[in-house]
Amino acid sequence: MIFITTGSRSFQFNRLLEAVDEAVMQGLITEQVFAQTGLSDYCIKKYEYTKFLNHEEFNKNINEADIILTHGGTGVIVNSLKKGKRVVAVPRLKKYGEAIDDHQVQLIEAFYKQEQVTPCFECTAKGISLAIREAKKKKIKPYISNTKVILGDIDKYIREEGNGSI
């Protein structure tokens, strides 16, 4: 199954939902597709969807999916990677009223450089189907959090600069 999530912020992502609909209609995507559409208002024709899922339902869909097709938000990307999922990320763009700036392009590029996501910068039926195909061929790279390393570095700095007193 392909699980699409467009985020829960106050922006639509109709462009992604419409491109997937077109890919399903053209037979470029044949897998089952389910989407959490958030505040998008595109009327999906060829796959199942809901506006919002609660936390438990959301995680159930991530766990059951083979591919997570998502916007470039770090929350869903990191959550999916922690669960060992293949992620295809499409950036929300300012010019389409999907975000206030284009920061998701840089986030997706950073995850791509770490070999953790398959980017899709061409949000069309063909572009998305090619990215999904590419993601399926990739070996899943485990997500390793560096939070402990960062906290250790902060603790070390505080101890050294504060003469050991916290």
Side-chain angles (χ1 to χ4, degrees):
M1 174 186 66
I2 297 170
F3 177 46
I4 302 169
T5 178
T6 63
S8 57
R9 302 282 180 196
S10 56
F11 294 99
Q12 55 77 24
F13 204 3
N14 293 329
R15 189 169 55 101
L16 172 62
L17 301 173
E18 187 173 1
V20 173
D21 224 5
E22 187 63 33
V24 173
M25 283 189 255
Q26 292 178 20
L28 300 172
I29 294 176
T30 56
E31 299 92 330
Q32 176 189 359
V33 178
F34 181 76
Q36 175 182 277
T37 63
L39 296 175
S40 301
D41 59 8
Y42 171 74
C43 184
I44 295 169
K45 299 167 190 71
K46 293 293 183 180
Y47 55 93
E48 293 184 40
Y49 66 94
T50 189
K51 286 279 186 193
F52 293 100
L53 296 166
N54 66 36
H55 185 71
E56 183 179 300
E57 293 168 327
F58 186 86
N59 282 324
K60 180 179 183 283
N61 277 281
I62 286 182
N63 289 335
E64 292 177 359
D66 300 309
I67 299 280
I68 309 302
L69 178 56
T70 187
H71 61 105
T74 56
V76 71
I77 291 174
V78 169
N79 186 25
S80 300
L81 293 173
K82 284 181 178 179
K83 294 176 183 286
K85 298 298 175 174
R86 289 180 171 85
V87 177
V88 174
V90 182
R92 292 174 175 270
L93 299 175
K94 180 181 179 180
K95 69 181 179 181
Y96 298 113
E98 300 163 347
I100 59 170
D101 60 30
D102 292 341
H103 71 280
Q104 289 192 356
V105 172
Q106 290 82 23
L107 289 170
I108 291 170
E109 286 172 345
F111 279 108
Y112 175 66
K113 285 179 185 173
Q114 295 176 32
E115 300 176 3
Q116 294 177 312
V117 304
T118 301
C120 180
F121 296 113
E122 183 189 333
C123 189
T124 62
K126 182 179 178 184
I128 288 171
S129 63
L130 288 173
I132 289 169
R133 211 171 315 147
E134 182 183 331
K136 287 179 180 179
K137 294 177 186 176
K138 290 183 177 179
K139 183 178 177 185
I140 297 174
K141 185 174 180 180
Y143 177 79
I144 301 170
S145 173
N146 63 353
T147 303
K148 289 182 181 177
V149 172
I150 292 169
L151 291 175
D153 288 346
I154 292 169
D155 182 62
K156 180 180 174 187
Y157 176 78
I158 291 170
R159 290 183 188 282
E160 289 173 359
E161 293 298 315
N163 296 322
S165 59
I166 295 180

